[in-house]
Amino acid sequence: MNDTPQLGIGIGWRPEIADTVEALSGVDWVEAVAENICPGHLPDSLVRLRERGVTVVPHGVSLGLGGADRPDARRLADLAERAEALGAPLVTEHIAFVRAGGALTASPVLEAGHLLPVPRTRDALRVLCENIRIAQDSLPVPLAVENIAALINWPDEEMSEGRFLAELVERTGVRLLIDVANLHTNHVNRGEDPAKALDELPVEAIAYVHVAGGVERDGVWHDTHAHPVTAPVLDVLAELRARVAPPGVLLERDDDFPPAAELAGELTTIRETITAAAAVAPPCPPAETGTGAGTGVVTGAAVTEEHAAGGIDAARGRLALGEAALLSSLVAGTPAPEGFDPRRLRVQSRALAAKRAGVVAKIAPELPEILGEGFRPAFLAYAAHTPMRGGYRRDALDFAESLLIERRPEDSAARRRLTLWWRERAASRPPRRATRIFRVARAALAGR
């Protein structure tokens, strides 16, 4: 892993804080959500940062490398295109599944709209390894994959998180993006010791580290990325630095953005935490160069494992059934699969619905404007029985359509506005601006 780029201290670039990120001092690099970037029309802010020599790393959220299906070729091509457009030294994704169902289960495809944990089993590991190799072969730069936060435990897991990651690195040579906030989340929610995970995983494979805030409610830690970084998360960062000097550390913030001074203060705290931990840490051993963790060498035992129990296609089939049953319970209201904690599934289901409501309100701000205080309860009621079927923009249209079918909202003027909104966006070609203005004016006049 000696060719891992040295990134330094960075922050997640988001459109809402683009100006702030540009003005912050001491930012060596930024990370941008890959799906929010158009390669042919890069945001001016990112262009200026690149011209200043600031590294930009695309961070994918939709590949679903932990899903039962092989990675979608179009999504991989899109991620590769963004890496090339940004001149990125690497790209990152998640060890998670985001959709389930389809041909492997002869059932409709369900979208989670969120990152969900894969079971730490031999089947899931075999599938994940092949999916990562497919992705590695399709990308122009190295890939790093991130551990995720989870509210739920899979029954009958066969490995700890650290062992699962170690075997993944050993078989594929993939780099790791270690999120210390997610290690803390899994400590609170799943009783997993962050120090044990750090002891087991191959720290020499770390490409960089995420640090983020969250909040605890009713004994459950929610990895919100919308709250300040807490002391326990910084403690995990210090534990990691005691074992290895990470090539990069990045502050993530996705919502409820604080003033620039507060972001700068959090970056300073991260630097101080790393410096203090380095001062008392023993010298870091050199990265391994032989066989074993971090080399990408597939051992004979691993080869035997990957062809056991009916082969990779059989493993995909078994994983597909498990993931589809779990996701159906979370987004379609079907019974909890055997072995899962129904209470935790309800917490996760509510969290998924709340995230859907928040994202839809962002990408379709007219909906909460039209519906007022009734938007959120109406959307949560809709989400309780209607899974996503094509991303958040489609979700917004489907939600509006469901209201109109029920002749809602009850206020006739609001219903006319919602009807116009839906018609304009559901059409194959959105009407020109002048036409839209005319329609709105006509509706307003008709309501007088």
Side-chain angles (χ1 to χ4, degrees), residues 152-202:
I152 53 180
N153 289 314
W154 282 81
D156 303 321
E157 290 194 317
E158 299 164 348
M159 285 170 276
S160 64
E161 181 167 31
R163 189 64 245 161
F164 189 85
L165 294 176
E167 291 205 26
L168 176 65
V169 170
E170 181 177 1
R171 297 183 187 198
T172 65
V174 72
R175 291 168 168 83
L176 296 175
L177 193 182
I178 295 300
D179 190 315
V180 293
N182 290 349
L183 290 178
H184 172 67
T185 300
N186 293 344
H187 171 62
V188 176
N189 294 345
R190 303 171 68 168
E192 298 174 349
D193 183 0
K196 181 174 183 289
L198 291 172
D199 285 340
E200 291 180 334
L201 65 84

Side-chain angles (χ1 to χ4, degrees), residues 134-394:
I134 292 169
Q136 288 171 318
D137 290 343
S138 302
L139 296 169
V141 293
L143 170 69
V145 290
E146 179 180 357
N147 61 305
I148 72 162
L151 291 173
I152 53 180
N153 289 314
W154 282 81
D156 303 321
E157 290 194 317
E158 299 164 348
M159 285 170 276
S160 64
E161 181 167 31
R163 189 64 245 161
F164 189 85
L165 294 176
E167 291 205 26
L168 176 65
V169 170
E170 181 177 1
R171 297 183 187 198
T172 65
V174 72
R175 291 168 168 83
L176 296 175
L177 193 182
I178 295 300
D179 190 315
V180 293
N182 290 349
L183 290 178
H184 172 67
T185 300
N186 293 344
H187 171 62
V188 176
N189 294 345
R190 303 171 68 168
E192 298 174 349
D193 183 0
K196 181 174 183 289
L198 291 172
D199 285 340
E200 291 180 334
L201 65 84
V203 293
E204 73 277 3
I206 293 176
Y208 62 88
V209 174
H210 273 173
V211 182
V215 64
E216 187 171 347
R217 299 191 190 98
D218 300 324
V220 174
W221 186 268
H222 297 270
D223 179 45
T224 64
H225 293 192
H227 292 81
V229 177
T230 62
V233 171
L234 293 171
D235 290 343
V236 181
L237 177 62
E239 286 270 5
L240 185 149
R241 178 58 189 90
R243 291 161 175 78
V244 72
V249 180
L250 182 125
L251 172 65
E252 280 192 299
R253 187 79 178 224
D254 293 327
D255 208 347
D256 289 341
F257 299 102
E262 189 172 328
L263 289 175
E266 289 203 294
L267 288 171
T268 297
T269 300
I270 288 171
R271 289 190 193 94
E272 292 173 347
T273 300
I274 294 170
T275 301
V280 298
C284 295
E288 296 181 21
T289 56
T291 59
T295 66
V297 175
V298 181
T299 65
V303 171
T304 301
E305 175 75 23
E306 292 189 20
H307 290 83
I312 188 66
D313 288 338
R316 288 187 182 277
R318 291 188 291 268
L319 183 62
L321 290 172
E323 291 182 341
L326 173 59
L327 187 51
S328 179
S329 175
L330 292 174
V331 303
T334 57
E338 185 177 357
F340 283 93
D341 181 345
R343 184 185 70 84
R344 278 299 175 94
L345 290 188
R346 288 193 294 271
V347 172
Q348 180 70 84
S349 181
R350 289 194 296 269
L352 291 178
K355 180 178 180 180
R356 283 174 67 184
V359 176
V360 166
K362 278 188 173 182
I363 67 170
E366 300 88 353
L367 292 180
E369 179 188 336
I370 293 169
L371 300 174
E373 294 182 357
F375 165 76
R376 189 172 181 84
F379 188 91
L380 293 178
Y382 155 83
H385 59 79
T386 311
M388 288 178 66
R389 57 185 182 132
Y392 285 109
R393 296 189 186 281
R394 178 63 180 270

Side-chain angles (χ1 to χ4, degrees), residues 12-27:
W13 182 92
R14 302 293 183 265
E16 298 91 335
I17 55 171
D19 292 341
T20 297
V21 170
E22 284 190 70
L24 286 171
S25 62
V27 171

Side-chain angles (χ1 to χ4, degrees), residues 32-185:
V33 176
E35 287 80 358
N36 294 344
I37 301 297
C38 179
H41 303 279
L42 293 178
D44 291 341
S45 173
L46 286 182
V47 172
R48 289 191 294 268
L49 286 169
R50 290 186 63 231
E51 290 173 346
R52 283 166 38 188
V54 176
T55 298
V56 181
V57 174
H59 185 53
V61 297
S62 64
L63 269 184
L65 290 171
D69 290 312
R70 290 173 174 83
D72 179 73
R74 180 66 258 171
R75 294 180 190 275
L76 282 172
D78 288 344
L79 187 55
E81 187 179 14
R82 283 151 178 77
E84 291 177 332
L86 293 168
L90 77 162
V91 297
T92 57
E93 249 288 354
H94 297 83
I95 302 171
F97 77 100
V98 297
R99 62 190 66 86
L104 288 174
T105 59
S107 62
V109 175
L110 298 175
E111 292 279 348
H114 189 67
L115 303 164
L116 294 175
V118 301
R120 296 174 197 150
T121 61
R122 296 294 171 188
D123 275 347
L125 181 61
R126 287 196 290 271
V127 171
L128 178 62
C129 285
E130 184 176 72
N131 287 352
I132 283 178
R133 292 192 197 104
I134 292 169
Q136 288 171 318
D137 290 343
S138 302
L139 296 169
V141 293
L143 170 69
V145 290
E146 179 180 357
N147 61 305
I148 72 162
L151 291 173
I152 53 180
N153 289 314
W154 282 81
D156 303 321
E157 290 194 317
E158 299 164 348
M159 285 170 276
S160 64
E161 181 167 31
R163 189 64 245 161
F164 189 85
L165 294 176
E167 291 205 26
L168 176 65
V169 170
E170 181 177 1
R171 297 183 187 198
T172 65
V174 72
R175 291 168 168 83
L176 296 175
L177 193 182
I178 295 300
D179 190 315
V180 293
N182 290 349
L183 290 178
H184 172 67
T185 300

